[in-house]
Amino acid sequence: MTKADVIAEISDKTGIDKADVTSTLETFFAVIKNSLSEGENIYVRGFGSFINKKRAKKVARNISKNTAMVIDEHFIPSFKPAKIFVEQVKTSDKAKVSAE
């Protein structure tokens, strides 16, 4: 499912104009990006958490040049689904069919 499909489905289910849904969805994504870039996590009860994960400093190898390089510690964005969300997907018949 693409972002356009999500927008169309939300518009169909709520009766809100697609342009308004697009604007709202884009604003939602912007708020998540800005909050995570400022180090603030976002928790949505019953859905999940958008968090920053810390990656430790490590030595990596460039195999084509056979050299070592240091990658400093850094943060990456991550999503951790809520238990309710995970259980809903686990018990879904359609999810089981697509996994096989």
Side-chain angles (χ1 to χ4, degrees):
M1 184 176 247
T2 65
K3 184 166 64 169
D5 295 335
V6 172
I7 290 169
E9 189 165 334
I10 291 171
S11 178
D12 291 343
K13 287 185 176 185
T14 62
I16 300 172
D17 185 48
K18 283 186 182 181
D20 293 336
V21 173
T22 302
S23 174
T24 303
L25 198 59
E26 290 296 334
T27 304
F28 175 72
F29 291 143
V31 167
I32 290 173
K33 288 180 204 175
N34 291 336
S35 295
L36 289 177
S37 66
E38 293 172 2
E40 186 177 340
N41 297 331
I42 297 176
Y43 304 100
V44 181
R45 188 176 305 272
F47 183 71
S49 304
F50 296 92
I51 58 174
N52 282 316
K53 280 192 175 179
K54 186 177 186 178
R55 293 286 169 106
K57 180 179 178 178
K58 66 180 179 179
V59 177
R61 301 213 39 93
N62 181 342
I63 57 173
S64 63
K65 296 181 181 178
N66 197 24
T67 58
M69 59 185 348
V70 175
I71 299 175
D72 292 330
E73 78 175 12
H74 60 282
F75 291 91
I76 60 163
S78 180
F79 175 74
K80 182 179 178 188
K83 288 181 183 178
I84 296 169
F85 184 18
V86 172
E87 286 303 316
Q88 183 179 354
V89 172
K90 279 184 180 179
T91 58
S92 170
D93 291 335
K94 292 194 181 222
K96 290 177 186 173
V97 171
S98 64
E100 294 175 352

